[in-house]
Amino acid sequence: MAELTRGRRLLILGICCSSLFIVGLDSTIVNLALPSIRVELGASVTKLQWTIDAYTLVIACLLMVSGSTADRVGRRRTFQAGLVLFGIGSLLCGFAPTIDLLIVFRMLQAVGGSMLNPVAMSIITNTFTNPRERAQAIGVWGGVVGLSMAVGPLVGGALVDAAGWRYIFWINVPVTVAAVLMTASFVPESRAAVPRRIDPVGQVLVVLVLGSLVYAIIEGQSAGWGSPLIIGCFVLCAVALVSLVLYERRREEPLLDPRFFRSAPFSGATLIAVCGFSALSGFLFLNSLYLQSVRGFSALHAGLLTLPMAAMTVVFAPLSGWLVGHRGPRLPLVVAGIGLTVSGLLLSRLDLTTSTVVLLAGYLIFGLGFGMLNAPITNAAVSGMPLSQAGVAAAIASTSRQVGASLGVAIAGTVLTARLVGPLETGFVDAALLCWYIIAGCGFLVLVLGLITTGKWARRTAESVAEDLVRAR
């Protein structure tokens, strides 16, 4: 590929960041629209769970295969296909006449979304060949996550109040159309010199593991935890997980290399990502219902109240990256664990008349904790890995984030439904108490895992795994 001018490289960065922005924005906006969707489409709490989880679960299942497919068939082509699918899915979501069709269209959105972020990152690393420029570009990329989270509540609340929840999906359409056209004009095609092999068996097993687990958690309350369907789902999850490990161990280029998990920093990063993003998705799900359905605030008012949490994430995410670079991942993980734990315990005190001061204190502390979380996850995941394996390790960490997001909503909604007595408006406070404790527990696990997996013993396990991977090549 010919050398690109600096202006062209920055334009490509902007196009790629736009994909991350709309995918991140979509998640935050939809949480704020849940009460409106519930009223207009007559959706149960379980259906609201699927409105969120249908999106995050499909992305989690397809992230890694999308990256390897792009390396083989072309990154620009895959990126454009993802934008088109995401745009069509968004358009259809806005027209959905029933909650079931909305869930189906959210899955189509997610298929497109799974092609955007990992492929865009590959385009960026291929475009910015200078190490210093590449580091700066990745820094901008990471900052867009916080920006989409900060803008999401405000934009979502304003759209829901002014035009209705359907416009939170339609707003994606012009962005995707512009991105498709600009990608065709300015982004050069690229492929990996030695693309990874597609692993269809491993991909199917990943879908079975995640899909059966989340389905059993969400539907267990209504179907009955002892019903053949739910027991069968848990058995299928266990069998598929064992089969995945055994199968991937025999492949030369596995989709998910089990040897990675012998590295304590990598295993820790995976579990921390699941716990941290479970806490985030559970918080967003519960908070939207509390502020609008229980307290009666408008969507815009709810978005404004949540904005300080997102602002803290924007402020502390770069600081976390600086700390990781200068002092390692332990301190940011400790702060993240403490912040998530304290905020979960504080929010467990919510009632029908909780003051704005207490609300904002809980949101600010949560934002501090979550802002410190992201950078050390990626750092710990790739810590000690050979350069050739760092990309795969980072992709697994990204998948773990989406798995956590799916589980957080599944668990929070299931616990809420199981404990709910009477209508949501009056029974939410008592029913959600255990949910807030679970979120605090997720924060405590982040703290403990952060301490265990960042010490000398953990670094030795990472070095051992790296040596094994180098010898195996």
Side-chain angles (χ1 to χ4, degrees), residues 228-270:
L229 175 62
I230 300 304
I231 292 175
C233 284
F234 282 123
V235 171
L236 176 61
C237 176
V239 171
L241 179 60
V242 172
S243 301
L244 178 66
V245 173
L246 295 176
Y247 177 77
E248 296 295 287
R249 287 177 64 183
R250 296 197 301 269
R251 275 187 63 86
E252 184 178 341
E253 292 185 7
L255 178 72
L256 185 67
D257 196 331
R259 291 175 298 180
F260 285 6
F261 292 93
R262 300 207 309 263
S263 164
F266 178 84
S267 295
T270 302

Side-chain angles (χ1 to χ4, degrees), residues 75-221:
R75 297 181 181 115
R76 183 179 69 180
R77 182 180 301 172
T78 305
F79 186 66
Q80 286 178 301
L83 286 167
V84 170
L85 286 175
F86 188 86
I88 293 173
S90 298
L91 184 65
L92 293 174
C93 283
F95 285 111
T98 66
I99 188 65
D100 292 323
L101 281 175
L102 177 60
I103 292 168
V104 171
F105 297 148
R106 287 280 284 164
M107 295 175 71
L108 178 60
Q109 254 193 321
V111 174
S114 72
M115 300 181 187
L116 297 181
N117 291 357
V119 179
M121 177 56 79
S122 296
I123 292 173
I124 289 172
T125 55
N126 191 67
T127 300
F128 291 87
T129 55
N130 179 278
R132 184 171 177 272
E133 281 194 350
R134 178 181 293 174
Q136 291 173 339
I138 292 174
V140 172
W141 167 266
V144 171
V145 176
L147 182 61
S148 67
M149 192 175 184
V151 174
L154 191 58
V155 174
L159 281 173
V160 171
D161 271 3
W165 64 266
R166 296 179 186 276
Y167 283 84
I168 67 172
F169 297 109
W170 288 335
I171 195 177
N172 295 328
V173 177
V175 178
T176 54
V177 170
V180 168
L181 295 176
M182 294 184 72
T183 300
S185 300
F186 299 107
V187 177
E189 184 61 281
S190 63
R191 295 176 177 83
V194 183
R196 292 173 54 80
R197 296 176 184 173
I198 303 296
D199 182 3
V201 175
Q203 182 60 58
V204 170
L205 290 172
V206 167
V207 171
L208 290 176
V209 170
L210 298 179
S212 59
L213 177 61
V214 172
Y215 182 89
I217 293 173
I218 291 179
E219 299 293 339
Q221 178 64 26

Side-chain angles (χ1 to χ4, degrees), residues 30-49 51 99 102 165 285 288-290 292-294 416 420 422-428:
V30 172
N31 273 286
L32 274 173
L34 289 179
S36 297
I37 293 172
R38 171 175 167 258
V39 171
E40 182 173 332
L41 300 183
S44 64
V45 173
T46 298
K47 293 295 186 180
L48 294 180
Q49 288 173 269
T51 303
I99 188 65
L102 177 60
W165 64 266
F285 183 81
S288 176
L289 294 176
Y290 171 74
Q292 296 180 71
S293 296
V294 178
L416 181 67
L420 188 63
L424 182 67
E425 289 75 10
T426 57
F428 176 91

Side-chain angles (χ1 to χ4, degrees), residues 216-419:
I217 293 173
I218 291 179
E219 299 293 339
Q221 178 64 26
S222 59
W225 294 105
S227 67
L229 175 62
I230 300 304
I231 292 175
C233 284
F234 282 123
V235 171
L236 176 61
C237 176
V239 171
L241 179 60
V242 172
S243 301
L244 178 66
V245 173
L246 295 176
Y247 177 77
E248 296 295 287
R249 287 177 64 183
R250 296 197 301 269
R251 275 187 63 86
E252 184 178 341
E253 292 185 7
L255 178 72
L256 185 67
D257 196 331
R259 291 175 298 180
F260 285 6
F261 292 93
R262 300 207 309 263
S263 164
F266 178 84
S267 295
T270 302
L271 292 173
I272 288 167
V274 170
C275 292
F277 277 76
S278 291
L280 173 67
S281 63
F283 164 81
L284 292 174
F285 183 81
L286 295 170
N287 189 61
S288 176
L289 294 176
Y290 171 74
L291 290 178
Q292 296 180 71
S293 296
V294 178
R295 297 296 296 272
F297 295 137
S298 67
L300 179 58
H301 193 172
L304 290 171
L305 284 172
T306 312
L307 196 57
M309 183 274 286
M312 291 290 281
T313 300
V314 173
V315 170
F316 283 95
L319 175 61
S320 176
W322 184 88
L323 287 172
V324 168
H326 288 79
R327 300 191 58 178
R330 172 170 283 196
L331 179 59
L333 287 176
V334 168
V335 174
I338 293 173
L340 296 178
T341 303
V342 171
S343 63
L345 293 175
L346 186 58
L347 293 170
S348 71
R349 311 288 294 177
L350 296 183
D351 58 31
L352 299 177
T353 58
T354 299
S355 69
T356 302
V357 173
V358 174
L359 277 176
L360 292 180
Y363 297 163
L364 288 169
I365 296 171
F366 191 96
L368 164 63
F370 186 73
M372 299 295 283
L373 185 68
N374 245 326
I377 287 175
T378 302
N379 177 271
V382 303
S383 176
M385 291 287 179
L387 186 60
S388 60
Q389 301 293 327
V392 179
I396 295 173
S398 295
T399 300
S400 300
R401 293 180 175 96
Q402 297 297 330
V403 171
S406 298
L407 290 177
V409 173
I411 293 170
T414 298
V415 171
L416 181 67
T417 303
R419 291 169 52 87

